[in-house]
Amino acid sequence: MAALEALDALLAAASRACCSPLAIFIQIQGCMICLTLALGWAFAAYIRNKVIRRMKLNIANGNSFAFICEDVNDLEHSAQVNLPRVSVIMPLKGFGEHNLQNWRSQITSLYGGPLEFLFIVESTDDPAYRAVSLLISDFQDNIDAKVIVAGLSTTCSQKIHNQLVGVERMHKESKYVLFLDDDVRLHPGSIGALTSEMEKNPEIFIQTGYPLDLPSGNLGSYCIYEYHMPCSMGFATGGRTFFLWGGCMMMHAEDFRKDLYGVVSGLRDGGYSDDMTLAAIAGKHKRHIWSPPVALFPHPLARDLSFSRYWNYLRKQTFVLESYISRVNWLMNRALFSSHCYLSWGFVCPYFMALIHLAAALRAPYSGSRSEASASSCGLLLVSCLLVSTIIELLSMWNLTKVEIQLCNMLSPEGSTVSLGSYDWRLVFLAMLVDNFLYPVSAIRSHFSQSINWSGVRYHLKNGKICKIERSMGNGPTYSDLAWKHLYGKKQFTPKSSFLSSLSRSIVHWRQPKKYDI
């Protein structure tokens, strides 16, 4: 009895403390954060839904190729022959369970203009080298693709080094360059849609897109899905945005040839993050970053994505805020660092307070104190507000995910259908709490460590730039964190000769009639 009385007294005191003016402000702020996220996701769903309605209208009007272009006349040979040349550069590292399907989706694009694919690896010892070489040989002369060995980076991250080597080796007549990560699964019309926007609006400096994470069922994958969802509203503007995702970036090739605004030197000389560096350059020179609503790509997460691998991924994401190229860029990163940490814990704290209120309310009938009953009723009111806000937030997230899944299915009618039924919304809610609690911990650790291990390579920063690179030389992790890709050794790989391969070759022949008609 004495122990229960002590527990009741502790809960009552905690509940009263959670009803103080400051605590009430924190809990109301948490509700406002939930509602703000819900509003942002509702707007993003509206933008994506407009594209779906337009595609359905085009199909109803007889355009069976609405997933490629809005006007079926754009598929005429007279229009296709004038399309600009595009170089697609893909820096590779390791080989995982989804890489083959992703690469196939990239090289079987239905873009009708001249197109080359440059797969860039660090060395021939990378398992990706053999895997992608065999995939390219499976398509033989149907595509213009090659594998390039870039060597080791010395002044920047390996990914940026690979990208810049690809830029040096791209075709001299390429008008646009498209950087893709190896975990991007393109739609058949993605390259054409991005190129069309660049042609219509020459003021665009960079075009980008964003992934739709497909959780694999474990908490780590749901944490990554939840981490990306708030950012997704910044990419669903239907046009200009301030956000940039390094997994998909289309730029003018001439900007790299001329090192316009220092895009090459800014990346090469100590660059760690390609997207943060280029976004800073775009902001400094008031150039446009554009995110078309169809630039949404399904991103299946690894089936065995453990929680520790999620933590390592989060560390890499928070570490990018430690890199910068100018004083203004540093100030922006500090503002992002502070606001994100504040809002993350501002989101989580009300739920801990709600638990205290609920526990105190359950024990209140046994204490018989009027003040405790009053505090309990106040606490339950705050809990009710938080519950309503959370339900609205989850419904808005569910709606946006549903719309984005529908859009992805329409943009890739030949692919496997993505289903909303595979999402576990209990794990989504738990991931929201876990991810927002851990983000400030990861960000603070990144700030004080100033170093990060990325796929077996440790980068050290000084004044926002890479100053030292340490390689494990095979003694580090054998697999990558997020995709669980095999990083070292020549992983055996045999391309599948299947219906999909035959269909892909047919698609490649169908999209390039001009090679034989001229």
Side-chain angles (χ1 to χ4, degrees):
M1 285 296 294
L4 284 177
E5 288 177 0
L7 178 61
D8 289 342
L10 179 62
L11 288 175
S15 183
R16 284 195 299 272
C18 291
C19 289
S20 66
L22 176 60
I24 291 175
F25 168 77
I26 292 174
Q27 290 167 87
I28 293 175
Q29 175 185 256
C31 295
M32 294 305 297
I33 293 173
C34 289
L35 295 175
T36 301
L37 287 170
L39 183 62
W41 286 326
F43 176 75
Y46 170 76
I47 297 297
R48 304 286 191 196
N49 237 330
K50 285 175 63 177
V51 181
I52 293 174
R53 290 196 298 269
R54 190 162 60 242
M55 286 181 65
K56 287 181 176 179
L57 180 62
N58 288 335
I59 293 172
N61 290 335
N63 181 7
S64 301
F65 298 100
F67 65 97
I68 302 174
C69 59
E70 291 188 20
D71 187 354
V72 72
N73 293 323
D74 291 339
L75 295 177
E76 293 288 343
H77 177 61
S78 58
Q80 297 277 297
V81 74
N82 295 318
L83 290 174
R85 176 179 287 275
V86 177
S87 292
V88 183
I89 297 176
M90 287 156 285
L92 307 182
K93 179 70 173 180
F95 181 69
E97 63 177 296
H98 298 298
N99 283 131
L100 179 59
Q101 188 174 355
N102 296 338
W103 297 338
R104 284 184 182 277
S105 73
Q106 293 165 0
I107 64 177
T108 56
S109 167
L110 296 186
Y111 180 65
L115 190 61
E116 70 169 344
F117 299 92
L118 305 177
F119 294 89
I120 319 296
V121 296
E122 174 185 302
S123 71
T124 56
D125 291 332
D126 192 316
Y129 177 81
R130 174 172 170 78
V132 77
S133 297
L134 290 174
L135 177 64
I136 291 174
S137 66
D138 189 41
F139 286 85
Q140 298 178 357
D141 297 327
N142 297 326
I143 59 172
D144 180 4
K146 59 179 71 76
V147 185
I148 298 173
V149 178
L152 300 179
S153 64
T154 56
T155 62
C156 58
S157 69
Q158 187 65 46
K159 177 186 177 182
I160 289 178
H161 175 70
N162 288 9
Q163 289 172 326
L164 294 180
V165 169
V167 165
E168 292 174 358
R169 299 285 296 275
M170 68 181 173
H171 197 283
K172 63 181 180 179
E173 294 181 1
S174 289
K175 186 175 182 179
Y176 302 113
V177 55
L178 174 61
F179 299 104
L180 294 176
D181 281 355
D182 60 2
D183 57 356
V184 173
R185 186 167 297 176
L186 286 185
H187 305 292
S190 294
I191 297 178
L194 292 169
T195 306
S196 176
E197 287 288 340
M198 297 289 277
E199 289 288 281
K200 288 189 294 185
N201 188 355
E203 292 299 312
I204 295 176
F205 181 55
I206 312 174
Q207 249 193 132
T208 189
Y210 206 62
L212 169 62
D213 291 322
L214 307 177
S216 55
N218 49 53
L219 181 60
S221 65
Y222 278 99
C223 285
I224 291 174
Y225 161 75
E226 194 283 328
Y227 173 81
H228 284 153
M229 281 303 288
C231 302
S232 66
M233 64 182 74
F235 291 86
T237 60
R240 190 173 181 181
T241 182
F242 297 100
F243 297 87
L244 181 61
W245 178 51
C248 174
M249 301 185 298
M250 177 174 275
M251 301 181 65
H252 296 269
E254 201 64 22
D255 292 349
F256 284 90
R257 296 188 182 104
K258 296 180 178 179
D259 193 15
L260 185 68
Y261 307 129
V263 292
V264 174
S265 54
L267 291 167
R268 181 191 59 217
D269 301 334
Y272 168 76
S273 170
D274 53 343
D275 48 10
M276 293 293 283
T277 300
L278 292 172
I281 292 174
K284 179 180 179 180
H285 298 280
K286 297 180 172 55
R287 296 301 306 273
H288 294 177
I289 300 175
W290 207 262
S291 180
V294 295
L296 177 70
F297 312 106
H299 179 215
L301 298 172
R303 286 172 292 182
D304 54 353
L305 203 160
S306 65
F307 191 79
S308 62
R309 283 161 54 196
Y310 151 71
W311 167 251
N312 291 336
Y313 172 77
L314 183 62
R315 284 272 290 114
K316 290 198 287 286
Q317 296 304 302
T318 56
F319 189 74
V320 299
L321 295 179
E322 302 304 315
S323 65
Y324 54 90
I325 61 172
S326 66
R327 175 69 177 177
V328 174
N329 188 204
W330 178 83
L331 290 172
M332 290 293 293
N333 285 357
R334 291 305 93 202
L336 284 171
F337 174 94
S338 304
S339 59
H340 203 154
C341 289
Y342 176 82
L343 291 173
S344 289
W345 276 354
F347 175 86
V348 173
C349 284
Y351 290 97
F352 287 104
M353 294 180 177
L355 287 177
I356 294 173
H357 288 312
L358 288 173
L362 289 173
R363 293 299 305 171
Y366 303 98
S367 64
S369 171
R370 219 176 231 191
S371 62
E372 290 181 17
S374 176
S376 175
S377 63
C378 175
L380 289 178
L381 178 62
L382 291 169
V383 170
S384 300
C385 292
L386 183 61
L387 176 62
V388 172
S389 301
T390 303
I391 291 174
I392 293 173
E393 178 194 21
L394 286 173
L395 285 174
S396 184
M397 183 190 285
W398 172 85
N399 181 60
L400 175 59
T401 306
K402 181 192 70 170
V403 169
E404 291 187 335
I405 284 176
Q406 183 181 3
L407 179 58
C408 284
N409 287 334
M410 293 183 69
L411 290 171
S412 289
E414 86 296 345
S416 56
T417 302
V418 181
S419 171
L420 184 64
S422 61
Y423 286 73
D424 187 334
W425 293 95
R426 295 166 300 179
L427 282 178
V428 170
F429 173 70
L430 181 59
M432 288 165 58
L433 298 179
V434 172
D435 184 67
N436 281 287
F437 176 78
L438 290 179
Y439 182 90
V441 178
S442 175
I444 292 169
R445 182 177 175 184
S446 295
H447 177 67
F448 287 103
S449 69
Q450 290 295 296
S451 69
I452 192 72
N453 187 304
W454 184 1
S455 296
V457 182
R458 180 163 291 278
Y459 299 100
H460 298 263
L461 294 185
K462 184 178 181 180
N463 297 324
K465 295 183 180 295
I466 290 177
C467 64
K468 183 180 179 183
I469 301 175
E470 296 176 338
R471 288 182 167 82
S472 59
M473 297 303 179
N475 297 321
T478 309
Y479 295 91
S480 65
D481 297 323
L482 184 58
W484 205 234
K485 295 184 292 185
H486 191 82
L487 297 176
Y488 304 107
K490 297 185 179 180
K491 184 178 177 74
Q492 295 299 315
F493 165 79
T494 304
K496 297 179 181 179
S497 180
S498 62
F499 171 74
L500 180 59
S501 301
S502 302
L503 177 61
S504 299
R505 283 191 292 268
S506 299
I507 290 174
V508 172
H509 279 301
W510 177 75
R511 73 171 175 84
Q512 293 180 321
K514 60 183 180 297
K515 288 188 177 181
Y516 311 102
D517 294 345
I518 292 177

